Amino acid sequence: MADTVTNERDWLASYDPRAYEPIAVTVDIVALTIRQGADGDAEKALHVLLVRRGEMPFAGRLALPGGFVRPVVEADGTRRDEDLGEAAERELAEETGLATGTRLDRVHLEQLGTYGAPGRDPRMRIVSVAHLAFAPDLPDPTAGGDAAHALWVPVADIDFRSLAFDHARILADGLERARAKLEYSPLATAFAGEEFTITELREVYQAVWGEPMHAGNFHRKVLSVPGFVEDTGATTARGGARGGRRARLYRAGPARLLHPALLRPSPEEDSR
Amino acid sequence: MADTVTNERDWLASYDPRAYEPIAVTVDIVALTIRQGADGDAEKALHVLLVRRGEMPFAGRLALPGGFVRPVVEADGTRRDEDLGEAAERELAEETGLATGTRLDRVHLEQLGTYGAPGRDPRMRIVSVAHLAFAPDLPDPTAGGDAAHALWVPVADIDFRSLAFDHARILADGLERARAKLEYSPLATAFAGEEFTITELREVYQAVWGEPMHAGNFHRKVLSVPGFVEDTGATTARGGARGGRRARLYRAGPARLLHPALLRPSPEEDSR
DNA sequence: GCAATAGTGTCTTTAAGACACTATCCC
DNA sequence: GGGATAGTGTCTTAAAGACACTATTGC
């Protein structure tokens, strides 16, 4: 395939307004992590990264982080187009303020879907390519430019109707995708640290599915799926806070697909 | 949400070239159907709709049908933006030349993914929202404007490397999606007619998965999944061409998800 | 009758889930 | 020792697949 790099000038040269409509393209991110609830809840809960909008439209409302796809300026001053995933990565780094940290490289990013209903942004025609990000317990966004107004919100606390644009729909689609992927992919390990216990893995499933799982059966099931997890040989330094046996530590295995799958306790009446 | 309809004038008024890059957006269609192979093959085979390109770049090469997302002109002369799915539907109708026919309303259409790698189109920056269409046996494209150069190609015969743009990737993703969806969704019924026999349904699975299935076990399995198919009470007018019992006729049931799922004979080592 | 196609019976193996139990640790 | 957490044994039921069989039709 041709390796042509398109820049703004090239684009303008080839622009014929009768042939097509130039459209603003954005990437929006549904970034999910598992963390302790802000309240004194003992349970770990699923959180999503949201930003408080400062501008119209929807000023003051919560929205998914995101931004325009635009040419990036390299160190030497040249401009080049960025791929969609690249734009999503950039936005996520900006919003979390973790660009300089190393922890962002453990984030799993995948495309969720593209939303282009007319009128979805009252300002103009915008098509948004939504992405889904899965991350181990990330800290609160602090440093960095855009990060000041970003925050982790427990999914259970969100009033979907209050979200800006069509972000309720996008978030709902993202959550459903995440719930479905836990079944047949080793995605849950992306929410855990480099090394984790079976119990921690179970807490991921419980947080995303919102249902308690049977500890014993879960344990055996995970170990029975080839390539899901690998024994590190090590154990946790100590047992639970109030006593208890030390847990074996595992790392993510090579499997990209779980066979057999870990099915949800109550299969939903869903249409996808 | 605001019901603002954006037109070209509005867009130009809000255009700030420093804030974002205006991008041409296209929809590409991976349209799949099951039909008898052109050769004397007895087996029904999976076909995809491709067009022979007449223009540069990739003139003479096969490509997925598609076109630009652009404002549509209503009967009264007003212009409005179209949704992505709407654009896909329009393109599919144009390319198949079946716009006036009634059979297009039985086509299942869903979004596949969005492809925006820089340089994927050598002319300019183009982001393409690929869609996947599943249709019962459709006739060869004949009437209609763009349809002259469109044709159904057996998937097995395609040299992926010869496809235009990044359409090999898109087609491969579409095929994998279709194969996966057969497992847990009643999608196969979208490939069959209004009424169908269990054997016809099995032929769909065999064509998409490319593997023979055990007729007896398949039969029992399909009937055991609640809501997958509904008995019409009728049977085929006659048995097979060379004798044989008449088959019961079924129609698609209400289930949107198959529980339990129909798993593929050989689960692939896939990374999704 | 015979070949062909539709549909069923039955058995084995695997997996899911309920439940009880053992193992190890902190205090 | 006692409570807490990790991990295992065992039984029941559901489901997948192999295989053989019965049922009905065209010729």
Side-chain angles (χ1 to χ4, degrees):
Chain A
M1 169 160 309
D3 199 12
T4 310
V5 171
T6 311
N7 58 33
E8 191 181 321
R9 194 171 42 74
D10 289 346
W11 183 83
L12 289 170
S14 64
Y15 170 60
D16 173 0
R18 286 161 309 184
Y20 57 90
E21 176 189 27
I23 294 178
V25 177
T26 64
V27 287
D28 286 330
I29 321 268
V30 178
L32 301 176
T33 198
I34 312 257
R35 48 187 359 232
Q36 218 72 240
D39 40 9
D41 250 4
E43 301 261 304
K44 291 184 184 170
L46 185 63
H47 288 62
V48 61
L49 188 69
L50 295 179
V51 297
R52 181 76 62 183
R53 283 186 60 82
E55 303 176 359
M56 292 288 290
F58 300 102
R61 307 278 278 277
L62 288 172
L64 296 172
F68 287 104
V69 174
R70 48 176 166 73
V72 291
V73 180
E74 300 282 20
D76 61 359
T78 59
R79 308 179 79 185
R80 64 175 187 84
D81 290 323
E82 58 182 356
D83 200 353
L84 299 172
E86 202 179 340
E89 227 172 293
R90 173 178 55 75
E91 286 295 338
L92 182 59
E94 285 175 13
E95 304 284 0
T96 55
L98 292 172
T100 53
T102 55
R103 303 175 68 172
L104 214 53
D105 61 354
R106 291 206 58 243
V107 173
H108 171 93
L109 200 81
E110 67 176 53
Q111 195 182 295
L112 173 61
T114 299
Y115 298 79
R120 63 179 290 279
D121 189 311
R123 291 168 297 182
M124 58 180 160
R125 175 75 153 141
I126 293 186
V127 166
S128 179
V129 184
H131 286 73
L132 197 48
F134 306 102
D137 192 351
L138 289 180
D140 281 301
T142 48
D146 292 349
H149 56 300
L151 64 163
W152 291 106
V153 182
V155 167
D157 295 355
I158 293 174
D159 176 11
F160 277 62
R161 294 164 305 181
S162 74
L163 295 182
F165 306 108
D166 53 359
H167 288 186
R169 182 66 177 329
I170 299 176
L171 176 56
D173 289 350
L175 291 173
E176 181 47 36
R177 168 84 67 91
R179 289 180 187 128
K181 283 205 83 163
L182 279 200
E183 289 193 317
Y184 59 89
S185 87
L187 177 64
T189 60
F191 282 113
E194 193 83 40
E195 300 193 337
F196 50 86
T197 65
I198 301 295
T199 297
E200 284 167 352
L201 198 61
R202 179 165 49 81
E203 286 169 341
V204 171
Y205 277 88
Q206 291 177 156
V208 176
W209 286 346
E211 300 186 69
M213 316 265 306
H214 187 288
N217 288 340
F218 180 87
H219 196 109
R220 176 184 17 241
K221 170 72 186 176
V222 166
L223 295 185
S224 79
V225 177
F228 190 6
V229 297
E230 276 176 355
D231 198 335
T232 64
T235 67
T236 51
R238 34 165 304 143
R242 286 156 297 182
R245 185 171 171 175
R246 288 178 187 142
R248 266 194 167 84
L249 284 169
Y250 296 85
R251 70 174 75 89
R256 314 276 28 123
L257 233 43
L258 305 185
H259 281 291
L262 267 129
L263 298 180
R264 268 177 278 194
S266 27
E268 299 183 37
E269 274 306 297
D270 181 15
S271 69
R272 284 296 293 287
Chain B
M1 171 160 307
D3 198 10
T4 310
V5 170
T6 311
N7 58 33
E8 191 181 320
R9 192 172 43 75
D10 289 345
W11 183 84
L12 289 169
S14 64
Y15 170 59
D16 174 2
R18 286 161 309 184
Y20 57 91
E21 176 188 29
I23 295 178
V25 177
T26 63
V27 287
D28 286 331
I29 321 269
V30 179
L32 301 176
T33 197
I34 312 256
R35 49 191 351 236
Q36 219 70 241
D39 40 9
D41 252 3
E43 301 263 302
K44 291 184 183 169
L46 185 64
H47 288 61
V48 62
L49 189 69
L50 294 179
V51 297
R52 182 76 63 184
R53 284 186 60 82
E55 302 176 358
M56 293 288 289
F58 300 102
R61 306 277 278 277
L62 288 172
L64 296 172
F68 287 104
V69 174
R70 48 176 167 72
V72 290
V73 180
E74 300 281 21
D76 62 359
T78 60
R79 308 178 79 185
R80 63 176 188 82
D81 289 325
E82 59 181 356
D83 199 354
L84 299 173
E86 203 179 339
E89 227 171 294
R90 173 178 56 74
E91 286 295 337
L92 182 59
E94 285 175 13
E95 303 284 359
T96 55
L98 292 172
T100 53
T102 55
R103 302 174 70 172
L104 214 53
D105 60 355
R106 291 206 56 244
V107 172
H108 170 93
L109 200 83
E110 67 176 53
Q111 195 180 294
L112 173 61
T114 299
Y115 299 78
R120 62 179 290 278
D121 189 311
R123 292 168 297 181
M124 58 179 161
R125 174 77 153 141
I126 293 187
V127 167
S128 179
V129 184
H131 285 73
L132 197 50
F134 306 103
D137 191 352
L138 289 179
D140 282 302
T142 48
D146 292 350
H149 55 299
L151 63 162
W152 290 107
V153 182
V155 167
D157 295 355
I158 294 174
D159 176 12
F160 277 62
R161 293 164 304 181
S162 74
L163 295 182
F165 305 109
D166 53 359
H167 289 185
R169 183 64 176 333
I170 298 177
L171 176 55
D173 289 350
L175 291 173
E176 180 48 36
R177 168 84 67 91
R179 289 181 186 126
K181 282 206 83 164
L182 279 200
E183 289 192 319
Y184 59 90
S185 86
L187 176 63
T189 60
F191 282 114
E194 193 82 41
E195 300 193 338
F196 49 86
T197 65
I198 301 294
T199 297
E200 283 168 352
L201 198 61
R202 179 166 47 82
E203 287 169 341
V204 171
Y205 276 89
Q206 290 177 157
V208 177
W209 286 346
E211 300 187 69
M213 316 267 303
H214 187 288
N217 289 340
F218 180 87
H219 195 108
R220 177 185 17 242
K221 170 71 187 176
V222 166
L223 295 185
S224 80
V225 176
F228 190 7
V229 297
E230 277 176 355
D231 198 336
T232 65
T235 68
T236 52
R238 34 164 304 143
R242 283 156 299 180
R245 185 171 171 175
R246 288 179 186 139
R248 266 193 168 86
L249 285 169
Y250 296 84
R251 69 174 76 87
R256 313 278 26 125
L257 234 43
L258 305 185
H259 280 290
L262 267 131
L263 297 180
R264 268 178 278 195
S266 25
E268 299 183 37
E269 274 306 295
D270 182 14
S271 68
R272 285 290 294 290

